[in-house]
Amino acid sequence: MHQSFALKGDIIFSQTPQTLAIYPSHYAICQDGVCVGVFAQLPEQFADIPVMDYSGKLIIPGLTDLHAHAPQYAFRSLDMDLELLDWLNTQTFPQEARYADLDYARRAYSIFAEDLRRSATTRAALFGTLHVPATLVLMQLLEQSGLETLVGKVNMDRNSPDNLCETDAQASLEATRAWLAGCRDLKHCRPILTPRFLPSCTDALMEGLHGLQQETALPVQSHLSENQGEIAWVRELCPQSSGYGDAYDRFGMFGGERCPTIMAHCVWSDAEERARMKQNGVFIAHCPQSNVNLSSGVAPVRTYLDEGLNIGLGSDIAGGTHLSILRAMADAVQVSKLRWRLFDQSLSPITLPEAFWMGTRGGGAFFGKVGAFEAGFAFDAVVLDDSDLPSPLDLTPEERLTRIIYLSDDRAVVHKYVDGRKLF
Amino acid sequence: MHQSFALKGDIIFSQTPQTLAIYPSHYAICQDGVCVGVFAQLPEQFADIPVMDYSGKLIIPGLTDLHAHAPQYAFRSLDMDLELLDWLNTQTFPQEARYADLDYARRAYSIFAEDLRRSATTRAALFGTLHVPATLVLMQLLEQSGLETLVGKVNMDRNSPDNLCETDAQASLEATRAWLAGCRDLKHCRPILTPRFLPSCTDALMEGLHGLQQETALPVQSHLSENQGEIAWVRELCPQSSGYGDAYDRFGMFGGERCPTIMAHCVWSDAEERARMKQNGVFIAHCPQSNVNLSSGVAPVRTYLDEGLNIGLGSDIAGGTHLSILRAMADAVQVSKLRWRLFDQSLSPITLPEAFWMGTRGGGAFFGKVGAFEAGFAFDAVVLDDSDLPSPLDLTPEERLTRIIYLSDDRAVVHKYVDGRKLF
């Protein structure tokens, strides 16, 4: 027995990074959680399926957040006058240490999970903290939300404050195995291996995580080339490596067919690092707002798109203050303009369709066929009501989408489907 | 008979550009529209005045928007992939030409005036279009809103499309006099002379406006040094001037005691132009979001603050897409970080208190004693409810203000007072 239904409305998704497919007043059909396609009329074999009539509203694919720190949501926007390494020490690490307290973790993560559920995001790759019980609480809350998420218990056994540092590699790996045992029954929230970043992981820990990755085939996420001070530090810590990406690669934690990997930021990746990411299929999580707030810079997204690298968007809560990937799209366009104007006029700014592509198909691809209403894609859909943005103009669906990306907030998200399941 | 009342809540305002005055659970007293001060307890002579109890909510001064184009609100966020001069020709000018149609103007301006009324802004300096009837409609709507605003019928008699260009200087000046006659009975919405920018005003028009300014002592607003292409154009158009600012100054439309002037943008003002602005007391309207969207650059706000120039914030609708001056504060901090990182490390980023100062006292000073709860200041107050931003942390009033600046939208604005009048 197949379960089918259709959504009717003004449907928009990316065909390519440069082109939008726009279907006003069409039907998007879902069968067993998978998209059948978009049709002007219901085809005969689907003539009798239930139709949710969202006429006059926009329907877009669910958005993917490729990088965010769930525990940092509690202090987003505070202390943004610091650069990355200072901000980690004065704000981030003390705040993450609080998650040793499970009551606090539950209160904080409940707020995060509910806000993520109400947003336009349907898929996300998230960092927890090093704490196993708190990370499992986060995962249970996300499982209940209905979203499809990847969550990592963070590994960190050096260069971290005493109250947020694992004793050694062995202790970190044992905790990681306990965490994996604790979440193995979850269906929608799955684990992802998460060495925080090279400066906070000993060689022994990286080697142990590589072994665990080989054993489990779990995906991996970490940080790469965010800030020049950080890059110089990695060069000191890993003198045998030719660069930051190479240092991950030497530990076998940098993509490849059996090791799907997300690297957040890549603001300062050089040609060699880019070539390695391309060769290994590493996904870049572009986090424009965080890169501004922490004065990291602006990633050369035009280069990444031209070179055909895998790239999506990340909110990077709480380097970024906004959970919205719609906001991340507008931010991505805006920062690329400043990069062009102030830094390097050889790379043209990215366009809004390109930003939309990154926030849907670009990042969605890490989860499989995700981010478009094409046949065979996961049926992730967001219904947007722009009636609180009145206009005296007759707007096209594309113009309405543009306004929602620049102007709207979570109020615009009125219905959401993930793998065909209606969340609200 | 004096009319007095007090607002009770967590009161925050700027003391200096670097320091906030923070009074948790205090009373701000208003007498005849003017602030008496902030007190822990009601002083004896005010013991019996009505108190609006906003305990648990933040109370900040009303914000000032020093630069926005009311007619452009209708198409904000559309076509942002263009630079200034192209954007003017393909989007802005055709859209402004629509305001020849008074029905359209009424529909569009009603939306703008209502959104401005609901925002945290209490004072604004606004451009209309060249059309006298439409500009008067805008002014009547703003008068009804209760806000304190300055609105300019725009003057433009060259280098503009046929359907948005006045015949000649004489016609433009006659229309300006008709407009001034039409709005002379308004109390809260007052006129401001508004040559669009030098490229769109003939010498004869500038000379005529100077005469009118001398005669009426009206304030002046225009654009200055926004974009390098524009600056080069002004150099061609005004070969006798040493620079863009000097060109305005030669026409007597660039500040001075009898000619209060706002110049929007000043992204690329050189040392000579800065010195002239300082000498003449010109107010700079810093419009960070617009300067990003139109790829203009980032104004050297650190220099302006250090040199003691008059500076406030502008939304610059629709170069900027957001009407919120809270958003402009966060944008100002963010773009200053990218300017520092990518362009000029000699100018440190601005801080959030500095941005808050610009959005309150900095811009407010153009309207007199505005933007703080000090004795003798206009009683402009905004009551903010941050309960829709739940947090597991115990936040200080300053942290709550920070979150509202970065995260909130107009939902947070629950009450507003202008000159002691309650708008809602």
Side-chain angles (χ1 to χ4, degrees):
Chain A
M1 265 292 285
H2 292 302
Q3 296 277 337
S4 302
F5 63 91
L7 310 186
K8 185 180 183 189
D10 299 330
I11 298 167
I12 305 187
F13 61 92
S14 288
Q15 268 177 326
T16 73
Q18 284 75 41
T19 56
L20 296 172
I22 301 170
Y23 298 99
S25 200
H26 273 59
Y27 299 83
I29 296 180
C30 174
Q31 186 171 45
D32 298 330
V34 174
C35 186
V36 175
V38 173
F39 304 90
Q41 304 293 333
L42 287 181
E44 192 161 328
Q45 73 267 38
F46 295 103
D48 297 327
I49 64 174
V51 173
M52 321 297 165
D53 190 348
Y54 301 132
S55 292
K57 298 187 173 59
L58 291 179
I59 303 175
I60 63 171
L63 310 185
T64 292
D65 187 344
L66 272 191
H67 183 63
H69 294 261
Q72 298 178 17
Y73 194 63
F75 66 91
R76 69 198 190 284
S77 88
L78 303 184
D79 246 342
M80 300 264 64
D81 290 342
L82 302 171
E83 261 194 279
L84 174 65
L85 300 180
D86 292 333
W87 177 76
L88 287 175
N89 288 316
T90 63
Q91 182 67 257
T92 306
F93 289 153
Q95 289 278 3
E96 287 197 12
R98 288 168 169 260
Y99 289 76
D101 173 353
L102 210 54
D103 284 340
Y104 179 80
R106 193 175 303 280
R107 269 188 294 138
Y109 281 148
S110 296
I111 295 170
F112 172 78
E114 175 59 11
D115 284 2
L116 190 64
R117 190 182 77 85
R118 295 296 315 180
S119 76
T121 297
T122 51
R123 315 233 166 197
L126 303 167
F127 280 50
T129 60
L130 59 76
H131 311 95
V132 172
T135 303
L136 290 172
V137 163
L138 170 63
M139 293 178 82
Q140 284 145 9
L141 287 163
L142 289 167
E143 178 80 5
Q144 291 157 20
S145 75
L147 301 166
E148 288 292 324
T149 52
L150 293 166
V151 168
K153 168 236 168 317
V154 171
N155 297 99
M156 50 198 299
D157 69 342
R158 69 170 172 182
N159 293 322
S160 306
D162 288 347
N163 62 349
L164 194 73
C165 191
E166 296 170 297
T167 322
D168 54 25
Q170 195 187 332
S172 180
L173 291 164
E174 279 169 14
T176 304
R177 286 184 184 278
W179 160 63
L180 291 175
C183 66
R184 75 183 147 211
D185 295 333
L186 302 181
K187 287 178 183 160
H188 305 301
C189 182
R190 291 166 298 138
I192 180 168
L193 295 178
T194 306
R196 185 174 201 115
F197 68 152
L198 274 176
S200 62
C201 298
T202 59
D203 288 4
L205 177 54
M206 290 302 290
E207 284 159 11
L209 285 172
H210 171 61
L212 192 58
Q213 197 282 323
Q214 294 284 98
E215 180 188 328
T216 58
L218 286 172
V220 171
Q221 62 182 352
S222 196
H223 296 94
L224 179 67
S225 297
E226 176 175 3
N227 168 297
Q228 289 177 321
E230 171 210 22
I231 292 170
W233 194 17
V234 170
R235 204 171 295 130
E236 277 174 40
L237 291 168
C238 310
Q240 75 286 13
S241 295
S242 65
Y244 200 162
D246 179 64
Y248 284 113
D249 209 11
R250 283 172 180 247
F251 292 113
M253 301 281 276
F254 200 64
E257 212 154 285
R258 291 197 66 256
C259 182
T261 298
I262 298 168
M263 284 289 158
H265 305 304
C266 306
V267 175
W268 300 104
S269 298
D270 59 18
E272 183 191 331
E273 196 162 280
R274 293 200 306 272
R276 197 79 65 91
M277 289 194 281
K278 167 128 186 170
Q279 187 184 339
N280 293 8
V282 168
F283 275 71
I284 297 167
H286 174 46
C287 305
Q289 191 176 94
S290 168
N291 300 154
V292 173
N293 283 332
L294 299 175
S295 298
S296 303
V298 180
V301 174
R302 169 64 56 222
T303 302
Y304 297 152
L305 291 171
D306 285 350
E307 294 181 353
L309 272 67
N310 292 320
I311 182 166
L313 295 174
S315 66
D316 191 25
I317 295 296
T321 57
H322 285 77
L323 195 54
S324 166
I325 296 298
L326 295 170
R327 169 72 184 254
M329 293 175 190
D331 288 338
V333 171
Q334 291 178 323
V335 300
S336 76
K337 289 176 176 176
L338 282 190
R339 190 183 200 283
W340 172 77
R341 170 59 74 207
L342 299 179
F343 188 68
D344 178 3
Q345 300 219 356
S346 77
L347 297 185
S348 60
I350 66 166
T351 64
L352 205 64
E354 289 171 329
F356 186 73
W357 182 86
M358 288 195 286
T360 54
R361 294 182 86 135
F366 193 75
F367 291 81
K369 294 180 84 167
V370 167
F373 293 113
E374 292 179 0
F377 272 62
F379 197 87
D380 287 12
V382 171
V383 182
L384 299 164
D385 180 351
D386 56 352
S387 60
D388 69 337
L389 294 172
S391 171
L393 303 172
D394 291 326
L395 299 166
T396 65
E398 181 172 356
E399 288 173 332
R400 289 167 58 205
L401 176 64
T402 298
R403 280 161 55 94
I404 284 175
I405 290 172
Y406 274 102
L407 302 174
S408 81
D409 49 56
D410 55 4
R411 279 178 289 192
V413 180
V414 289
H415 302 289
K416 187 153 95 171
Y417 296 79
V418 183
D419 278 336
R421 303 186 307 274
K422 186 173 184 180
L423 268 56
F424 56 86
Chain B
M1 266 291 284
H2 293 303
Q3 296 278 336
S4 302
F5 64 90
L7 309 186
K8 185 180 184 189
D10 299 330
I11 297 167
I12 305 186
F13 60 93
S14 289
Q15 267 175 327
T16 73
Q18 284 75 41
T19 55
L20 296 172
I22 301 171
Y23 298 99
S25 200
H26 272 60
Y27 299 84
I29 296 181
C30 174
Q31 186 172 45
D32 299 331
V34 175
C35 185
V36 176
V38 173
F39 304 90
Q41 305 292 335
L42 287 181
E44 191 162 328
Q45 74 269 36
F46 294 104
D48 298 325
I49 63 174
V51 173
M52 321 298 164
D53 190 347
Y54 301 131
S55 291
K57 296 187 173 58
L58 292 178
I59 303 176
I60 63 171
L63 310 184
T64 292
D65 187 344
L66 271 191
H67 183 64
H69 294 260
Q72 298 177 17
Y73 194 64
F75 66 91
R76 69 197 190 283
S77 88
L78 304 184
D79 246 342
M80 299 263 66
D81 291 341
L82 303 171
E83 262 195 278
L84 173 65
L85 300 181
D86 291 334
W87 176 76
L88 287 176
N89 289 316
T90 64
Q91 182 67 257
T92 306
F93 289 155
Q95 289 278 4
E96 287 197 13
R98 288 169 169 261
Y99 289 76
D101 172 352
L102 210 53
D103 284 340
Y104 178 80
R106 191 175 303 278
R107 272 188 294 140
Y109 282 147
S110 296
I111 294 170
F112 171 78
E114 176 59 12
D115 284 2
L116 189 64
R117 190 183 77 86
R118 294 296 316 178
S119 76
T121 297
T122 51
R123 314 234 167 195
L126 305 167
F127 280 50
T129 60
L130 60 77
H131 311 95
V132 172
T135 303
L136 291 173
V137 163
L138 170 63
M139 294 179 81
Q140 283 144 10
L141 288 163
L142 289 168
E143 178 79 6
Q144 290 156 20
S145 76
L147 301 165
E148 288 292 323
T149 53
L150 294 165
V151 169
K153 167 235 169 313
V154 171
N155 297 100
M156 50 198 298
D157 70 341
R158 69 170 171 182
N159 293 323
S160 307
D162 288 348
N163 63 348
L164 194 74
C165 192
E166 295 170 298
T167 321
D168 54 25
Q170 193 187 334
S172 179
L173 292 164
E174 279 169 16
T176 305
R177 287 183 184 276
W179 160 64
L180 291 175
C183 66
R184 75 182 147 211
D185 294 334
L186 302 182
K187 286 178 183 160
H188 305 300
C189 182
R190 290 165 299 136
I192 179 168
L193 295 177
T194 306
R196 184 173 202 118
F197 68 152
L198 274 176
S200 61
C201 299
T202 59
D203 289 4
L205 177 52
M206 291 301 290
E207 284 159 12
L209 285 171
H210 170 61
L212 192 56
Q213 198 284 323
Q214 294 284 98
E215 180 187 328
T216 57
L218 286 173
V220 171
Q221 62 183 352
S222 196
H223 297 92
L224 180 65
S225 297
E226 176 175 3
N227 169 297
Q228 290 177 321
E230 172 210 21
I231 293 169
W233 193 17
V234 170
R235 204 171 295 128
E236 275 174 41
L237 291 168
C238 310
Q240 75 288 10
S241 295
S242 65
Y244 200 162
D246 179 63
Y248 284 113
D249 209 11
R250 285 174 179 246
F251 291 114
M253 302 281 276
F254 199 63
E257 213 153 285
R258 292 199 65 255
C259 182
T261 298
I262 299 167
M263 284 287 157
H265 305 306
C266 306
V267 174
W268 300 104
S269 297
D270 60 18
E272 184 191 331
E273 196 162 280
R274 294 200 306 272
R276 195 80 62 92
M277 289 193 282
K278 168 126 185 169
Q279 187 183 340
N280 293 8
V282 168
F283 275 71
I284 296 167
H286 174 46
C287 306
Q289 190 176 95
S290 169
N291 299 155
V292 173
N293 284 332
L294 299 175
S295 298
S296 302
V298 180
V301 174
R302 170 63 57 221
T303 302
Y304 296 151
L305 291 171
D306 285 351
E307 294 181 353
L309 273 67
N310 292 320
I311 183 166
L313 295 174
S315 65
D316 192 24
I317 296 293
T321 56
H322 286 77
L323 194 54
S324 166
I325 295 299
L326 295 169
R327 169 72 184 254
M329 293 176 190
D331 288 338
V333 171
Q334 291 178 323
V335 300
S336 76
K337 289 176 176 175
L338 281 190
R339 190 184 199 282
W340 173 77
R341 170 58 75 208
L342 300 179
F343 187 68
D344 179 3
Q345 300 217 357
S346 77
L347 296 185
S348 60
I350 65 167
T351 64
L352 204 63
E354 289 171 330
F356 186 74
W357 181 87
M358 287 194 286
T360 53
R361 295 182 86 132
F366 192 74
F367 291 81
K369 294 180 85 167
V370 167
F373 294 113
E374 291 179 359
F377 273 62
F379 197 89
D380 287 11
V382 171
V383 182
L384 299 164
D385 181 352
D386 56 353
S387 60
D388 69 336
L389 293 173
S391 171
L393 303 172
D394 290 325
L395 298 167
T396 65
E398 182 173 356
E399 288 173 332
R400 290 168 57 206
L401 177 64
T402 298
R403 281 161 54 93
I404 284 176
I405 290 171
Y406 274 103
L407 302 174
S408 82
D409 49 55
D410 55 5
R411 279 177 289 192
V413 180
V414 289
H415 301 290
K416 187 153 94 172
Y417 296 79
V418 183
D419 278 335
R421 302 185 307 275
K422 186 174 184 182
L423 267 55
F424 55 87

